[in-house]
Amino acid sequence: MASKAKIRAVTGMNDMLPTDSARWEFFEDTARDIATEYGYRQMRTPILESTDLFTHGIGEATDVVEKEMYSFEDSLNGERLSLRPENTAGIVRSAIENSLLHDAPRRVWYFGPMFRHERPQRGRYRQFHQFGCEALGFSGPDVDAELILMTARLWKALGIRDVKLELNSLGEPSERAAHRAALLEYFEAHLDQLNETAKHRLYLNPLRILDTKDPDMQDLVEKAPKLISYLGEGSLRFLSSLEHQLERAGIDYVINARLVRGLDYYSHTVFEWTTDRLGSQATICGGGRYDGLMEILGGKPAPCVGFAMGAERVLELMGEFGVKPEAPDCAVYVIHAGEGTLDPAVAVAEELRDLDVSTIVHGGESSMKSQMKKADASGAEFALIIGENEAASGTVSVKRLRDRGEGARFAKQETLPAAEAAEQVFSELLDIETKDL
Ligand code: ATP
Ligand code: MG
């Protein structure tokens, strides 16, 4: 007989286990609520897109497109496809395809998996998740500030502290061209100090050399001409208006002249939120203005700004601050054993669910004692017990499973008419909820 090979998850791709779901849901719910508070609407685009979308929409000379994309040919029709490494290009494609901006600008948010073929390590996976917002058709800098305020509010709501906001301006295309010429001249004069990647990027995208992490190039890069000194009056005004709005909102930031998201269609604002608690995977959120992208992807020009944050890194950082949401499996666990007990068990559970109380009915047959253990392990506040006596007399026994002090209702098991059980348990649960607030 052929041996059965154990099939494992793809390297760098993780399962979200039921024991993790409370943390993820807390993050997703909080992010969604805050985006909604700012008037952003959810958008979902396919995980699979034409490879061209990303080569045009992210740029050839970037890590993502050069070496991190999962691209393949669809064997059924020969199309070149890629798993999305990020969602901005997809959102812009869809906005163009569906004429989303024909009557008004749009604020949208998304959450979902992204794929990059990187070396897996803490905070860096091949399938990871991003929450992001895009403000499409807004020229800023008011909306740039709004997005940053939103992220700051999110950190607070998630219990995250000590994150640093780094800010820079990439100015206008003409300003970047002047800076690029100066950069080229500078790097050409120091060719011997460039590593292979930098040499490769020199004529493709010299701006990207500035964000190298190669320790041997730090000194060189530190002394390179700074884009900020090539900014004209308009760009400087844009930046100082954004700075002013951040200051008004009490948000600290530092200007980092080396912060680039070196794509041709980026302009003005770029920002990153970083932490020193996650080792080298320090950036939890990156954003910026991409006024040129709509046009590059074949749409009418429209100024846009957005951010994306890595959910895995944000969750890990929440853990660093002791934020580890857990949730019980249910509030009520219904135990039933013996002839004729299943029907009343299901009936009382359905009544509880009518009242929005999460309720598990024990599945399968086992002894009262073992069901009681399961009830306890589920984290439920109450066990409802239906044995043959209860079934015969139309009653339910109720037992509180958590210690709520002396005198708490149902601390001692009580038997009551089945018709009253759901209501009474419900009102006890309401009581705890208000007390816990
Ligand atoms: P890095 O410099 O860490 O590679 P990046 O510049 O490639 O980040 P962006 O494309 O700006 O990242 O993506 C936005 C955010 O998504 C990052 O700040 C990070 O939090 C998260 N992220 C990016 N790549 C990964 C990954 N492979 N695994 C987990 N999170 C990621
Ligand atoms: Mg990367």
Side-chain angles (χ1 to χ4, degrees), residues 150-284:
M150 192 197 301
T151 48
R153 183 181 290 271
L154 182 57
W155 308 142
K156 209 169 157 196
L158 295 173
I160 288 173
R161 298 187 305 273
D162 305 338
V163 279
K164 192 166 99 185
L165 174 63
E166 301 185 18
L167 192 65
N168 194 18
S169 170
L170 299 183
E172 297 277 348
S174 61
E175 294 153 5
R176 277 204 306 281
H179 172 246
R180 183 191 154 107
L183 257 191
L184 269 181
E185 197 178 313
Y186 172 80
F187 284 132
E188 278 172 341
H190 299 89
L191 262 189
D192 52 322
Q193 294 175 52
L194 295 184
N195 66 19
E196 284 313 306
T197 319
K199 275 183 194 146
H200 169 70
R201 287 197 172 142
L202 185 56
Y203 298 101
L204 285 170
N205 197 345
L207 204 56
R208 280 300 302 253
I209 301 178
L210 294 181
D211 68 3
T212 178
K213 285 167 188 150
D214 185 341
D216 295 336
M217 283 176 52
Q218 294 309 310
D219 195 43
L220 177 74
V221 156
E222 207 53 68
K223 293 186 183 128
K226 297 209 168 24
L227 175 50
I228 212 155
S229 37
Y230 288 78
L231 296 184
E233 212 182 302
S235 293
L236 288 172
R237 219 179 313 119
F238 193 103
L239 177 60
S240 65
S241 164
L242 174 58
E243 289 183 76
H244 175 74
Q245 291 173 58
L246 294 178
E247 279 153 23
R248 282 287 296 269
I251 295 177
D252 293 335
Y253 61 90
V254 291
I255 298 284
N256 174 359
R258 280 182 55 190
L259 180 62
V260 296
R261 301 171 78 75
L263 315 180
D264 291 342
Y265 52 80
Y266 268 95
S267 48
H268 300 293
T269 314
V270 284
F271 66 91
E272 277 186 5
W273 285 99
T274 60
T275 169
D276 53 16
R277 304 223 183 188
L278 296 181
S280 51
Q281 273 53 256
T283 307
I284 55 170

Side-chain angles (χ1 to χ4, degrees), residues 63-64 68 116 118 124:
D63 283 348
V64 170
E68 296 173 359
R116 297 184 193 180
E118 305 198 64
R124 194 175 291 286

Side-chain angles (χ1 to χ4, degrees), residues 335-370:
I335 292 169
H336 56 93
E339 209 42 47
T341 59
L342 178 61
D343 289 350
V346 170
V348 73
E350 286 293 295
E351 274 182 58
L352 283 161
R353 292 165 190 147
D354 285 343
L355 298 167
D356 289 336
V357 175
S358 78
T359 307
I360 288 179
V361 177
H362 182 80
E365 284 180 27
S366 44
S367 70
M368 283 278 185
K369 197 171 159 204
S370 109

Side-chain angles (χ1 to χ4, degrees), residues 4 39 46 53 65 79 101 109 120-122 128 153-154 204 243 322 333-334 336 346 351 373 382 397 401 423 432:
K4 287 188 193 143
L53 174 67
V65 168
E79 277 183 87
L101 304 187
W109 66 268
Q121 53 197 292
R122 180 187 183 202
F128 63 101
R153 183 181 290 271
L154 182 57
L204 285 170
E243 289 183 76
Y333 196 100
V334 184
H336 56 93
V346 170
E351 274 182 58
K373 272 196 191 141
F382 292 105
S397 296
L401 300 172
E423 282 288 350
I432 301 174

